[in-house]
Amino acid sequence: MILLVQTVVLGLLAGGVYALMSSGFTLVFGVMKVLNLAHTSTIVLAAFLTWWVWQRTGLDPLLAGVLVGPVMYGFGWLLYRGVVARVQRIDHELTLVASFGVATALGGVMALVWGTDAKAATPSYFNSSFHLGELVVPTAQLYACGGAVVLLLGLYGLLRGTFVGRAIRACSADRDSAALVGIDVERTMARMFAIGVATTGFAGAALSVLYQFVPDSHYVWIGRVLCVVILGGLGSFAGAALGAAILGVSEALTSSYVDTRWATTVPYLLIVALLLVRPQGLLGGRGRADGALA
């Protein structure tokens, strides 16, 4: 019984980080109806920036991730203004291709700057754990998940309780109507996209502590992020959180009770089986117009 509880706890801790990694992706899709394939590249970029700060200053990498967040916000704003907005004026569907191009370019730049060797940030608590009776909770996973949950709650509060959030929700529902009531749609879109990229700051910090990474790691993580948002329902914020928890727990259960080699396979098979029954995802029943808010 203790093994089952231990496995579920570890899966939920991983799921918290998966949820943060996916939140910006599903926010962008919920408002813009665009699959931003560069999202996980920005997560890896944030991981490299966090690792670099940790190497140079010794600052705790998870705290460094909080500082990297505003940097990623600025990068997201420039990415939207310089690439996404320009491409959308030509053809909305080209944004998918453009984002893939950005992901490939970022991978090349990161390889030139930091090399292709695997990196990882190892703070002092990297190998420590909390003990609750027979239950062992790894400190790094707990801190990463705790920070992810705080940021997710903050993002939810931003969307629900601020003018910027209300403007984003209005644009998600109907951009023309939002413009008629005085909302600067283009500015709101830029802010929204930048906020989505800003979430990768702490997500990248968590990645740098919990996993080894290389410039091409985004190819691995885009699969997990897509699984989370498709499982929960494309564009559903709450669905992303639920999908992340399910993915994290299913991976942990597969590793413990089946084989670690199947850990990244069985969850995807489960997702395919679910989508055969409910193709819109677990929380994707409502229209996509309110996807960023669900």
Side-chain angles (χ1 to χ4, degrees):
M1 183 62 181
I2 188 63
L3 176 60
L4 176 61
V5 175
Q6 178 78 66
T7 301
V8 171
V9 168
L10 292 177
L12 290 175
L13 292 177
V17 176
Y18 291 171
L20 182 61
M21 288 181 172
S22 306
S23 60
F25 185 95
T26 203
L27 176 63
V28 170
F29 182 85
V31 178
M32 299 176 63
K33 308 301 182 286
V34 167
L35 294 174
N36 176 23
L37 297 183
H39 183 74
T40 51
S41 291
T42 58
I43 293 176
V44 177
L45 174 61
F48 271 111
L49 291 174
T50 300
W51 174 84
W52 182 81
V53 170
W54 172 72
Q55 283 276 298
R56 294 294 184 275
T57 67
L59 181 66
D60 183 279
L62 295 180
L63 290 179
V66 176
L67 301 179
V68 170
V71 176
M72 299 309 296
Y73 178 94
F75 179 77
W77 191 90
L78 292 174
L79 181 59
Y80 178 83
R81 291 292 192 183
V83 178
V84 177
R86 294 174 183 269
V87 171
Q88 283 194 316
R89 294 190 194 105
I90 301 170
D91 187 340
H92 183 83
E93 302 299 329
L94 284 178
T95 311
L96 183 67
V97 179
S99 67
F100 179 77
V102 170
T104 304
L106 274 179
V109 170
M110 288 185 286
L112 287 173
V113 174
W114 288 292
T116 57
D117 293 336
K119 305 287 193 301
T122 53
S124 58
Y125 52 81
F126 179 73
N127 289 318
S128 65
S129 302
F130 292 105
H131 294 264
L132 302 174
E134 296 183 50
L135 189 65
V136 179
V137 181
T139 304
Q141 282 91 328
L142 180 63
Y143 288 171
C145 181
V149 169
V150 169
L151 289 174
L152 285 169
L153 291 175
L155 181 58
Y156 183 81
L158 173 70
L159 292 174
R160 287 290 182 180
T162 67
F163 175 79
V164 172
R166 289 191 291 271
I168 290 173
R169 289 159 56 199
C171 291
S172 173
D174 191 320
R175 296 190 193 184
D176 292 334
S177 297
L180 287 174
V181 297
I183 295 175
D184 187 333
V185 174
E186 189 63 20
R187 186 179 182 183
T188 300
M189 291 295 99
R191 283 179 173 177
M192 180 277 306
F193 192 90
I195 290 170
V197 176
T199 63
T200 66
F202 191 84
L207 171 63
S208 72
V209 172
L210 302 180
Y211 307 94
Q212 289 189 329
F213 59 95
V214 295
D216 286 342
S217 292
H218 63 95
Y219 291 117
V220 174
W221 287 101
I222 192 62
R224 279 194 173 96
V225 168
L226 283 172
C227 271
V228 166
V229 298
I230 292 173
L231 178 61
L234 275 169
S236 172
F237 192 75
L242 178 60
I246 293 174
L247 180 62
V249 171
S250 62
E251 284 185 345
L253 289 173
T254 303
S255 295
S256 295
Y257 291 98
V258 182
D259 193 307
T260 55
R261 293 173 296 180
W262 284 90
T264 57
T265 303
V266 170
Y268 297 96
L269 296 177
L270 292 175
I271 289 170
V272 171
L274 172 69
L275 294 182
L276 290 174
V277 178
R278 188 176 174 82
Q280 70 271 38
L282 293 173
L283 298 183
R286 288 182 286 178
R288 291 292 172 255
D290 68 339
L293 317 175

